[in-house]
Amino acid sequence: MKEQVTDISKVLQDMTEEMRLLRETVNQQYAEIIKLNRNINALNLQIRKKDTERTNLRERVAKYAPQLRRNAIIEMSRRFTAMSLVLL
C-alpha cells in the first residue's frame, strides 16, 4: 500500500493563503456593515425630522380644528336647507 506524503510547508502555505482570504472577506464584511450602519443612521435622522414636522403640523391644525368643525357644520346645514327647498 502506498502512503501519501504531504509536505508540511505546502500545507502551511495553503493554510496561510486560506487565512488571508478569510481575513479579506471579514474586512469587506466589516466595511459593508459600517456603510449599512451609516445609512441606517441617516434614515433614522430623516424619520426623526419627519416625526417632528408631523407633530408641528398636527399642532398647527389643532389650532384651526374648532373653526373647521364649525364651518363644516354650517356648510352641512346650508346643503340640507338647500335640499329641503328643492324637495318642496
Side-chain angles (χ1 to χ4, degrees), residues 25-82:
T25 301
V26 167
N27 289 340
Q28 289 172 352
Q29 290 173 343
Y30 182 73
E32 184 67 19
I33 288 169
I34 289 172
K35 183 177 130 187
L36 291 170
N37 281 334
R38 283 186 187 134
N39 288 340
I40 288 169
N41 290 337
L43 291 171
N44 283 334
L45 179 61
Q46 287 180 3
I47 289 170
R48 283 193 300 276
K49 285 181 180 178
K50 292 292 180 185
D51 285 346
T52 301
E53 183 180 331
R54 188 183 65 203
T55 300
N56 292 339
L57 288 172
R58 282 184 184 209
E59 289 171 359
R60 286 176 57 193
V61 167
K63 291 177 187 176
Y64 299 105
Q67 181 62 37
L68 293 173
R69 273 191 230 112
R70 226 172 303 139
N71 291 348
I73 291 169
I74 292 168
E75 181 61 29
M76 287 173 37
S77 175
R78 285 183 187 154
R79 287 184 184 182
F80 181 74
T81 303

